[in-house]
Amino acid sequence: MFVTPGYAQETAPAEGDAHGDAAHTEVAGGEHGSGVFPPFDPASYPSQLLWLAITFGLFYLFLKKVALPRIGSILEVRRDRIAQDLDQAARMKEEADAAIAAYEQELADARKRATAIAQEASAGAKSEAEAERKQVEAALEKRLQESETRIAAIKTSALKEVDTIAEDTAATIVQELLGGKVDKAAVAAAVRSARE
Amino acid sequence: MANDPIHQFQIAKWIPIEIGGLDFSFTNSSAFMVATAVGAGAFLYLTTSSRGLVPGRLQSISEMSYEFVANMLRDAAGTQGMKFFPLVFSLFMFVLVANLFGMFPYFFTITSHLIVTFALALLVIGTVVVYGFMKHGFGFLKLFVPHGVPGVLVPLVVAIEVISFLSRPISLSVRLFANMLAGHITLKVFAGFVTSLSAFGAIGVAGAILPLVMTVALTGLEFLVAFLQAYVFAVLTCMYLNDAIHPGH
């Protein structure tokens, strides 16, 4: 009921002047100033509601069908990409860890092997030295024995000569002292008994 | 007339259209509704057209507004509320851009008209009511009966809850409308002081400094209000929608 008179009031000057220039709007304002504050002017409601419905409705549809899915997909893609990159980073880190572990394992192996080789080498050297020492010792022993046999031979021969010398000497002494012939066998027996 | 603070809210018919005795003219208000919808839509569409994995500044704005509203809705109404995300986002962007367009001199502020904000508020409440009854049937009426109220008090509490529910569209629309209207009138009045005082020669110009400073400060404040009111409108929409999704409090 209230809408219609307001509308009639509005259209009356508008017919004379289609495009409301400043003067016209002031006239309209003046008219309304008597009664209605523009935001509360019911004459403008149908137009405002219609155009709001059209513009907001299209805006809503556009956002719902086009803009929001697009932004959503951008964010989704980014989230996926970040997750993927993080996964890849984690995988690479695992690989790096594995490589480090393998390297350390290899290092430990190498160290063990080196120790083994060193031990082997030192054992070899020791046994070689031992063998050489034994050989030298054996050679020395042999020469010692040879020397001992020689000494023993010399000693025996020397002792044998001692007998002969003693018999000769005794025979000579007896001959000088007693004169005459000396029984060699008696002298030898005497010497032997004296020596025993 | 130049200093008339009400003049900026005047509706001017640009293309008169009349259907069935009702005036559906294309007015300056309609033009700014179109500008708001096209501006906001084009911004969101064009800034995201490159679909950059690493967003530029403008694309960041679109993405931030998306996530801002999405977090707001998720916090208030849970993941079930996300089906209303296009609605809440449209409302937020529409109101925000309309408010910001209103900050340009000589621009019309569509949210300074009660009928516009009231229509948007009714859209929200209508969605709440329709969805609430669709989803929960009469269980939706549990909304008006909070848990743990002693039996004697139930009628009183229900009456209060019903009144508060009915006042929601009014408070939602009037809050936005009154903020925009009052802000623009205040700005216009202070700016009017500057021009009318400086007409009085040197002393007047000196005296105009204070209202000029006020105008500058108020302009900053109005930008804050423009954003804040769009935010408040969207937050309250989220909370009302939460009532429709979880009526049992």
Side-chain angles (χ1 to χ4, degrees), chain B residues 60-176:
Chain B
S60 285
I61 294 176
S62 293
E63 288 175 8
M64 272 163 60
S65 51
Y66 181 99
E67 295 201 308
F68 178 67
V69 178
N71 289 336
M72 188 198 300
L73 183 57
R74 203 176 291 119
D75 288 347
T79 39
Q80 277 181 295
M82 291 315 282
K83 61 167 76 73
F84 294 110
F85 177 65
L87 176 69
V88 178
F89 188 78
S90 307
L91 281 169
F92 175 73
M93 284 310 278
F94 194 81
V95 172
L96 177 66
V97 174
N99 290 352
L100 290 177
F101 270 7
M103 290 308 295
F104 285 93
Y106 297 104
F107 275 30
F108 183 84
T109 314
I110 56 179
T111 43
S112 67
H113 275 246
L114 182 57
I115 187 68
V116 174
T117 62
F118 191 67
L120 294 177
L122 272 188
L123 174 66
V124 172
I125 301 298
T127 309
V128 168
V129 171
V130 169
Y131 180 80
F133 277 114
M134 249 171 54
K135 185 84 190 291
H136 304 284
F138 285 101
F140 179 58
L141 296 175
K142 275 190 293 190
L143 177 63
F144 301 115
V145 191
H147 281 302
V149 178
V152 193
L153 286 177
V154 164
L156 181 66
V157 170
V158 167
I160 292 173
E161 289 282 335
V162 168
I163 291 170
S164 88
F165 186 83
L166 291 179
S167 65
R168 275 176 183 181
I170 300 167
S171 66
L172 189 59
S173 57
V174 168
R175 182 181 301 111
L176 174 58

Side-chain angles (χ1 to χ4, degrees), chain B residues 3 6 8 20 23 31 38 61 64 81 94 102 107 111 136 146 155 164 168 203 206 213 220 229 233 237:
Chain B
N3 283 347
I6 305 302
Q8 57 181 322
D23 178 19
V38 171
I61 294 176
M64 272 163 60
F94 194 81
F107 275 30
T111 43
H136 304 284
S164 88
R168 275 176 183 181
I203 301 165
V213 170
Q229 288 306 318
F233 199 93
T237 301

Side-chain angles (χ1 to χ4, degrees), chain A residues 3-4 7 10-11 14 18-20 22 25-26 28-30 32 37-40 43-52 55-56 59-60 62-64 66-75 77-79 81, chain B residues 1 6 9-14 18 21 23-27 29-30 33-34 37 40-41 44-45 48-49 51-53 55 59 63 66-67 85-87 89-91 93-94 112-116 119 123 177 181:
Chain A
V3 172
T4 329
Y7 162 70
E10 181 76 16
T11 42
H19 286 275
T25 30
E26 200 185 10
H32 291 160
F37 178 57
F40 295 140
S44 72
Y45 288 180
S47 149
Q48 299 232 55
L49 287 176
L50 174 73
W51 288 102
L52 178 67
T55 52
F56 186 76
F59 183 62
Y60 174 77
F62 176 72
L63 289 195
K64 190 181 162 117
V66 182
L68 292 180
R70 182 193 270 190
I71 300 177
S73 81
I74 291 174
L75 296 175
V77 164
R78 183 172 310 145
R79 230 190 323 266
R81 177 64 189 272
Chain B
M1 178 214 101
I6 305 302
F9 305 115
Q10 208 68 252
I11 301 273
K13 273 183 232 177
W14 289 3
E18 191 189 322
D23 178 19
F24 290 120
S25 301
F26 188 81
T27 62
S29 168
S30 318
M33 287 173 191
V34 172
L44 291 171
Y45 185 75
T48 55
S49 58
R51 294 165 174 269
L53 193 65
Q59 191 183 325
E63 288 175 8
Y66 181 99
E67 295 201 308
F85 177 65
L87 176 69
F89 188 78
S90 307
L91 281 169
M93 284 310 278
F94 194 81
S112 67
H113 275 246
L114 182 57
I115 187 68
V116 174
L123 174 66
F177 150 75
L181 183 86

Side-chain angles (χ1 to χ4, degrees), chain A residues 76-164:
Chain A
E76 193 74 18
V77 164
R78 183 172 310 145
R79 230 190 323 266
D80 286 356
R81 177 64 189 272
I82 288 171
Q84 199 180 319
D85 284 3
L86 283 178
D87 280 357
Q88 200 173 340
R91 209 168 48 239
M92 280 174 151
K93 191 179 174 298
E94 258 167 42
E95 273 169 30
D97 285 351
I100 288 173
Y103 161 77
E104 271 171 3
Q105 180 65 39
E106 218 154 289
L107 195 65
D109 283 356
R111 215 171 264 154
K112 218 178 278 169
R113 221 158 37 227
T115 323
I117 288 170
Q119 256 165 9
E120 211 170 288
S122 83
K126 215 183 270 174
S127 67
E128 213 166 290
E130 189 76 10
E132 211 157 300
R133 193 171 61 85
K134 271 189 188 146
Q135 208 177 331
V136 169
E137 271 176 5
L140 287 176
E141 191 78 11
K142 206 171 143 201
R143 273 171 65 187
L144 197 65
Q145 269 172 4
E146 274 173 14
S147 312
E148 270 172 8
T149 32
R150 250 174 59 204
I151 289 167
I154 290 169
K155 200 175 155 191
T156 332
S157 72
L159 281 178
K160 237 179 239 167
E161 270 167 37
V162 165
D163 281 354
T164 331

